[in-house]
């Protein structure tokens, strides 16, 4: 009986060779692997194919086979297919993203630089100007960029994968919900809607390097959406 996949990976790591300056590990040829693992080549190929489908193994023509961590596509596909199967709902994705974004904002307050703050403020400026001009696609891109930039400041690989997965799955929902919010929200005397300007509060908290204020500001960002009668985006 074949070994469980996790146990197989542990053995493959032991038998592999680290690639310099990367997280990848080069595997020996299949014949050598099969002998070391006491597996038939057919059984080994079947297990390696599973790892390849999961994104943990890739082959380079003329160079060999490598173990490595999967990229963002793996998480995006897992989230997308889980949503398609009804295993995860948009409401669950939205709630999880809200919790993630609050945590990221809190962590970013202790790490952000003045240059990064300027870029975040510029994202909000672009968001506002695009909404004023009726260019809702550009406003969406500025919104997504703002949140992605916050994640990049924290630079946590697990948070990054989760953010990319959530953003990919919810992208169309975010677009629709932005349009719904803008349709019911009254602009201020300068033509600015709270949907966009609420992001300034997050930036201001980052300027103060106040983690709790950053968390509260991000939480308010989502609460405001709920008050408009749409789900948090």
């Amino acid at each position: 009986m074949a070994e469980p996949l996790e146990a197989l990976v542990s053995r493959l790591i032991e038998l592999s060779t680290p690639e310099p300056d990367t997280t990848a590990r080069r595997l020996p040829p299949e014949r050598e692997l099969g002998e070391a693992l006491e597996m038939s080549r057919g059984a080994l190929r079947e297990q390696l194919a599973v790892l390849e489908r999961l994104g943990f193994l890739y082959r380079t023509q003329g160079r060999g086979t490598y173990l490595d961590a999967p990229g963002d596509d793996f998480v995006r596909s897992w989230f997308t297919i889980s949503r398609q199967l009804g295993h995860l709902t948009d409401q669950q994705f939205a709630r999880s993203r809200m919790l993630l974004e609050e945590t990221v904002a809190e962590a970013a307050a202790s790490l952000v630089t003045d240059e990064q703050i300027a870029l975040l403020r510029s994202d909000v400026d672009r968001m506002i100007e695009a909404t004023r001009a009726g260019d809702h696609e550009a406003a969406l891109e500025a919104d997504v960029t703002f949140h992605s930039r916050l994640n990049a400041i924290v630079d946590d690989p697990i948070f990054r994968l989760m953010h990319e997965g959530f953003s990919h799955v919810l992208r169309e929902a975010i677009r629709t919900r932005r349009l719904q919010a803008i349709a019911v929200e009254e602009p201020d005397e300068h033509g600015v809607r709270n949907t966009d300007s609420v992001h300034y509060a997050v930036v201001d908290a980052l300027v103060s390097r106040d983690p709790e204020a950053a968390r509260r500001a991000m939480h308010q960002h989502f609460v405001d959406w709920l008050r408009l009668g749409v789900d948090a985006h």
Side-chain angles (χ1 to χ4, degrees):
M1 182 176 178
E3 295 180 65
L5 198 59
E6 295 85 353
L8 174 62
V9 170
S10 294
R11 290 288 288 126
L12 291 177
I13 291 172
E14 292 174 0
L15 296 167
S16 63
T17 303
E19 284 289 288
D21 303 319
T22 73
T23 58
R25 304 182 68 92
R26 184 174 182 177
L27 295 176
E30 281 187 5
R31 178 178 297 178
E32 184 179 332
L33 268 181
E35 292 174 355
L37 296 169
E38 298 181 345
M39 294 176 65
S40 69
R41 294 188 72 178
L44 176 61
R45 285 177 177 174
E46 182 178 327
Q47 294 298 305
L48 294 181
V50 172
L51 289 173
E52 188 170 12
R53 287 195 296 272
L54 291 173
F56 288 99
L57 182 144
Y58 66 92
R59 308 172 194 272
T60 302
Q61 186 67 32
R63 295 187 58 192
T65 303
Y66 299 84
L67 281 176
D68 203 355
D72 296 347
D73 288 346
F74 168 75
V75 176
R76 289 179 178 181
S77 295
W78 191 92
F79 280 157
T80 299
I81 294 171
S82 293
R83 181 193 189 198
Q84 290 171 331
L85 292 172
H87 176 62
L88 297 173
T89 66
D90 284 356
Q91 290 76 19
Q92 290 170 323
F93 276 114
R95 174 173 170 75
S96 296
R97 181 167 181 251
M98 178 177 69
L99 295 173
L100 174 66
E101 296 288 356
E102 289 176 12
T103 301
V104 166
E106 180 180 29
S110 301
L111 301 169
V112 69
T113 66
D114 290 343
E115 181 181 3
Q116 290 167 330
I117 287 172
L119 290 171
L120 287 165
R121 195 177 296 279
S122 176
D123 292 333
V124 185
D125 292 343
R126 289 190 296 108
M127 210 183 303
I128 288 172
E129 291 307 313
T131 299
R132 277 175 172 163
D135 189 346
H136 301 299
E137 189 65 26
L140 170 66
E141 291 303 323
D143 194 338
V144 170
T145 298
F146 177 90
H147 290 279
S148 295
R149 202 184 301 281
L150 272 177
N151 270 272
I153 291 168
V154 177
D155 195 26
D156 182 290
I158 296 175
F159 284 3
R160 179 180 59 79
L161 286 172
M162 292 173 64
H163 172 78
E164 290 299 319
F166 293 157
S167 295
H168 177 73
V169 169
L170 294 174
R171 189 175 186 85
E172 288 306 313
I174 293 171
R175 177 184 286 107
T176 299
R177 291 165 185 172
R178 277 189 62 88
L179 292 175
Q180 289 174 339
I182 288 168
V184 301
E185 190 176 49
E186 289 295 328
D188 65 15
E189 65 272 20
H190 304 293
V192 178
R193 288 174 168 81
N194 187 63
T195 294
D196 295 327
S197 62
V198 69
H199 294 81
Y200 280 137
V202 178
V203 177
D204 291 341
L206 295 178
V207 170
S208 301
R209 271 55 175 195
D210 186 334
E212 182 56 33
R215 173 184 280 275
R216 288 198 307 269
M218 185 61 77
H219 179 74
Q220 190 63 45
H221 166 41
F222 288 98
V223 167
D224 286 349
W225 276 73
L226 291 171
R227 287 176 179 168
L228 288 169
V230 295
D231 291 330
H233 86 301

